[in-house]
Every structure is written in C-alpha cells, then in structure tokens.
Amino acid sequence: MSPAANAFDIKSASLDLLALLLRTDDLDELSQALDARFGTGHDAPVEAFVLDVEALPAPAELDYGRLLPMLSRRGIRAVALRHPSTALAGVASQFGLAYTSSATPPRSAQNAPEPADKPAAPEPAQATGAMIVDRPVRAGQQIYAKGCDLIVLAMVSAGAEVIADGNIHIYAPLRGRALAGARGNAGARIFARSMEAELVSIAGVYRTIEQALPDSILGKPTQIYLENERLVMSALGE
C-alpha cells in the first residue's frame, strides 16, 4: 500500500456552531448594533459562525466584501452561508464560504399526519462548569472560558484579558481587563478580591477605568453587574 493511502481519513463530524441571523442589510446600522452588543475596546476571541441571510429581502446583493471583514474584526469568523435558495451557493463560493440550505426537508410521500399532542421541544441546555486558572495571567495574555464560568486563583496583570461566557471570579487583584457574559448573558457578573481593573464588561456593555476608582471599591472585594443596561460596581460584604 502506498504511503499516500494513509495520509488522511474522511469521517463525519458534528460541529456546534453559532448562527448569526441578519435582520438588516444596512451595514452601518449593523456595525452600530455589533458595537453596542460587543463593545469596541478589545479584540474579541475568534469563533466560527454560520451566516444566515434568509431574513434579508435581497441577500445576493449584500456587500459581503465589506460585511465579512467587519464581522471578523469583532471575532465573528463566517465559515458558511445559509439560505434556502441554492442560488446563494455561487455567492458563498465567491467569498470562500461553504453553503448550507435552511430549507425545511420534505415530508414523507405517505404524508402521515403529525400526532395531535406533539411534545414540546426541549429547552436548550445551560452552560455548566467552570475553567480554573491557578497561575498569574500576565500582560499580553488572553484567557477565554467558552460556555462556562472562569475562576482565576492568581493575579490578572495590567495588559492581560480574561473573558468568559458566564461569570468571572478572580481571587486576587484584577489589574487588567475582565469581560463576562461574552455571548450576551446579561445576568453574568464579575467578582474580584481586589478591584484595580483597566476595563470591565458585561454582555458587551463595558467601562474603561481611566480615572481613579472611588475609595469604596479601589483595592477592595468588588462585584460588577448590569442593572437597567448600566454597569454597576459595588463593594462586596456591605
């Protein structure tokens, strides 16, 4: 058997990808909405997405040459285009994307009726567990806890960045940047044993710390959370 015969295998793969469903073809409006959701003060971790354009009136006329780099700068790497019309396959190929159809599969030729009492679809599973980091996070490093909380047992230095889809717990000084609820979880919180952060963010709502923090939280145990779409920083234990 030639060496080339064992060079690779092709197997089925089940990939858990998020889909970005576009509801507007106004890219200026979309850019503002992305900034409001994810913020503009940091480079988001890159993640693969399916770009769903079924809701747009003329998806073939969308300026993909401008759209795709705009998404990529925010950590949204489009890898496939989804639409029920196969006419979009050519557009996908032109921009280096895979094409997937969102058309509903045809029912059986028997046209069997559905049960009268159709069971409700199960609720999506909530992210559980936590990533634990027991070493200092140094300047220039970035740690991302995908789909879970992040627990840091050592200092987060100035110039470092910690990100989590859930809550962030830092049992040491927080001197860098902390971004919780990275996928839009507005109920996420940040807890720090010593609050000295450069930037904090919950679900894309962020605040840079350019001036001295008030004495009530500076260097003290602090929690950060969203209240009426505003960031609140309050001392713990009071």
Side-chain angles (χ1 to χ4, degrees):
M1 184 179 294
S2 69
N6 296 320
F8 66 88
D9 291 316
I10 296 177
K11 297 182 178 180
S12 62
S14 178
L15 300 178
D16 182 16
L17 294 180
L18 293 173
L20 181 66
L21 176 60
L22 296 188
R23 300 191 182 280
T24 178
D25 54 9
D26 185 331
L27 297 189
D28 292 330
E29 178 185 350
L30 178 61
S31 179
Q32 293 176 8
L34 290 168
D35 287 346
R37 178 69 174 271
F38 299 109
T40 59
H42 66 282
D43 294 324
V46 176
E47 185 164 352
F49 276 75
V50 173
L51 187 60
D52 192 322
V53 294
E54 182 176 357
L56 300 183
E61 300 175 10
L62 189 63
D63 187 353
Y64 293 94
R66 178 186 170 197
L67 171 65
L68 295 177
M70 184 177 80
L71 296 176
S72 183
R73 287 193 297 271
R74 293 165 172 85
I76 301 173
R77 179 68 55 81
V79 296
L81 192 65
R82 184 161 69 187
H83 193 275
S85 172
T86 56
L88 269 293
V91 175
S93 177
Q94 180 181 352
F95 291 94
L97 304 175
Y99 166 77
T100 178
S101 174
S102 56
T104 303
R107 294 187 61 186
S108 162
Q110 315 255 336
N111 288 322
E114 295 185 0
D117 297 325
K118 186 177 180 179
E123 292 292 327
Q126 296 296 318
T128 58
M131 175 190 291
I132 299 176
V133 176
D134 59 3
R135 65 186 186 280
V137 186
R138 305 192 185 281
Q141 289 184 313
Q142 181 188 81
I143 293 178
Y144 174 39
K146 180 179 179 181
C148 63
D149 290 355
L150 176 62
I151 299 174
V152 184
L153 304 178
M155 181 175 65
V156 178
S157 301
E161 187 171 72
V162 291
I163 305 169
D165 290 340
N167 305 301
I168 296 177
H169 305 257
I170 302 171
Y171 295 99
L174 167 59
R175 295 174 180 167
R177 299 181 293 274
L179 303 96
R183 289 197 187 187
N185 179 6
R189 297 194 179 207
I190 299 169
F191 304 90
R193 176 165 289 177
S194 178
M195 177 61 178
E196 307 168 39
E198 296 173 320
L199 177 147
V200 291
S201 171
I202 305 289
V205 179
Y206 71 97
R207 175 179 170 180
T208 55
I209 314 299
E210 298 175 347
Q211 299 178 347
L213 291 166
D215 291 339
S216 60
I217 61 173
L218 178 61
K220 297 178 180 178
T222 303
Q223 66 168 324
I224 300 101
Y225 57 94
L226 277 181
E227 187 175 85
N228 298 324
E229 299 184 352
R230 294 179 63 253
L231 276 179
V232 177
M233 298 186 291
S234 64
L236 284 167
E238 293 186 354

